Amino acid sequence: MSKTDFYSRIIAGTMTWGSWGKQLSRKGMAELMNFCLTHGISTFDHADIYGEYGNEEAFGDAFLDSGIDRENIQLITKCGIQMTRGRTNSVKHYQYDAAYIVWSAERSLKKLRTDYLDFFLLHRPSPLMVPEEIAKAVEQLKREGKIRQFGVSNFTPSQIALLEKYVNVEGNQVEYSLTHVNPMEDGTFDDCMGHGRMVMSWSPLGSFFREEDEVKQRVEPVLKQLSEKYNAEASQLLLAFILKHPAKVFPVVGTTNKERLSGSIEALKIELELQDWFTMLEASKGRRVP
């Protein structure tokens, strides 16, 4: 069994669960966790900064009330971004010395009310990161059983290659959607496939529901046509586009709407035909493939 088999193919993103979004109550979070688990979503994606460093603790408190067995869910979180909101920093920056990474992981463990993290990611690359320092922290956290897997988010293949001289990088979480296909073309997915890294996609629906631009004008009629063919909603087709890529991308779905969450799971059943996938890509780019 691959290590990625432990994660649900659709991941619940928690960024909007707290003060940055729906401000769910403790009871509401516990109910949503159970709803996700009942519908096949067992993996929850966090970052220390979400909710101005408050989401993890709110989730952890709700987890205590949820009645869910820790072994039945997977927790992903990230560290490294130092914001000016929620902390006494004078400028936003990134911090990746060994002591800070270890402190961040231990802080997340405490707030999430868990003894281990399934996946621990560096949130964004820093021009000042020292790979030996990162490796030192990761080795300690793994040795102590505090993290099971280590990965990165928003890193380029060359940045990962630098890290991999000192520590194994097991995953990369990047922006990827029909309206943002860069990872297919800049070597990110090639790197992940070639080295067996788990690929996670944040903002998997892209700008389709946010922007009234030329891309949406091209994509929308295509999705309407395919919606009839596949008996699926636009959001499900957007996920199906992602899921077809051989990198085995795990979409991180940020909604707290239960109907949309269950609909996301239904997207796993859609098998886009080859030419339909390329029709969607052509609509996104506004031109045929070369």
Side-chain angles (χ1 to χ4, degrees), residues 34 61 66 80 127 146 173 189 191 193 195 199 268 277:
N34 275 290
D61 290 344
S66 69
K146 294 175 179 176
Q173 185 177 129
F189 285 177
D191 167 73
M193 291 174 70
H195 293 87
V199 184
L268 294 170
W277 189 91

Side-chain angles (χ1 to χ4, degrees), residues 123-148:
H123 204 156
R124 292 215 175 247
S126 169
L128 298 180
M129 63 186 180
V130 179
E132 296 96 325
E133 280 284 299
I134 293 169
K136 180 181 176 182
V138 172
E139 288 167 3
Q140 177 183 334
L141 291 168
K142 282 197 169 185
R143 185 172 63 248
E144 295 174 352
K146 294 175 179 176
I147 67 172
R148 292 189 170 177

Side-chain angles (χ1 to χ4, degrees), residues 6-24:
F6 292 102
Y7 302 95
S8 58
R9 191 66 192 280
I10 300 294
I11 296 173
T14 66
M15 187 177 73
T16 64
W17 285 32
S19 64
W20 284 4
K22 298 301 181 180
Q23 302 185 50
L24 297 177

Side-chain angles (χ1 to χ4, degrees), residues 109-123:
L109 288 169
K110 181 179 179 181
K111 288 181 174 291
L112 289 167
R113 306 299 188 98
T114 183
D115 296 326
Y116 66 94
L117 299 168
D118 295 275
F119 229 133
F120 187 52
L121 313 179
L122 304 186
H123 204 156

Side-chain angles (χ1 to χ4, degrees), residues 30 34 62-70 72:
N34 275 290
F63 177 64
L64 290 180
D65 300 340
S66 69
I68 296 172
D69 188 331
R70 174 65 180 90
N72 290 334

